Amino acid sequence: MEKTADAGRYVYSDNQAFGKTQGCVDAKYKQELCTGVQAYGSDHEDADAMKRLIVSFTETVEKSDACDRLAS
């Protein structure tokens, strides 16, 4: 079952999650950079852990050089 957080900015389930960055826009195509993670191969599934992972990962991408290149 999918869950959402931060007004739909993050969508996550027991083993996958997606996020939408803020301020990271491709200048040519005017598209926002999105993030995604999948965790397969374990019997342990944890939606709360996936939420923490996607939030942290998305925030890290927003601070990275990749985001800086897209924002310029």
Side-chain angles (χ1 to χ4, degrees):
M1 176 164 84
E2 288 185 351
K3 299 179 181 185
T4 63
D6 197 8
R9 182 175 174 205
Y10 302 104
V11 179
Y12 58 97
S13 66
D14 291 339
N15 58 10
Q16 63 182 355
F18 302 92
K20 185 176 179 183
T21 62
Q22 293 181 332
C24 297
V25 178
D26 182 296
K28 182 176 180 181
Y29 297 106
K30 308 292 188 230
Q31 295 178 336
E32 291 184 79
L33 182 62
C34 295
T35 57
V37 293
Q38 294 181 329
Y40 290 106
S42 172
D43 291 334
H44 182 74
E45 296 181 345
D46 186 341
D48 291 330
M50 292 304 295
K51 178 185 174 189
R52 290 189 306 272
L53 178 62
I54 196 62
V55 169
S56 178
F57 181 59
T58 302
E59 289 173 352
T60 300
V61 169
E62 289 171 340
K63 295 174 187 174
S64 74
D65 288 344
C67 183
D68 290 341
R69 284 191 298 275
L70 291 175
S72 54

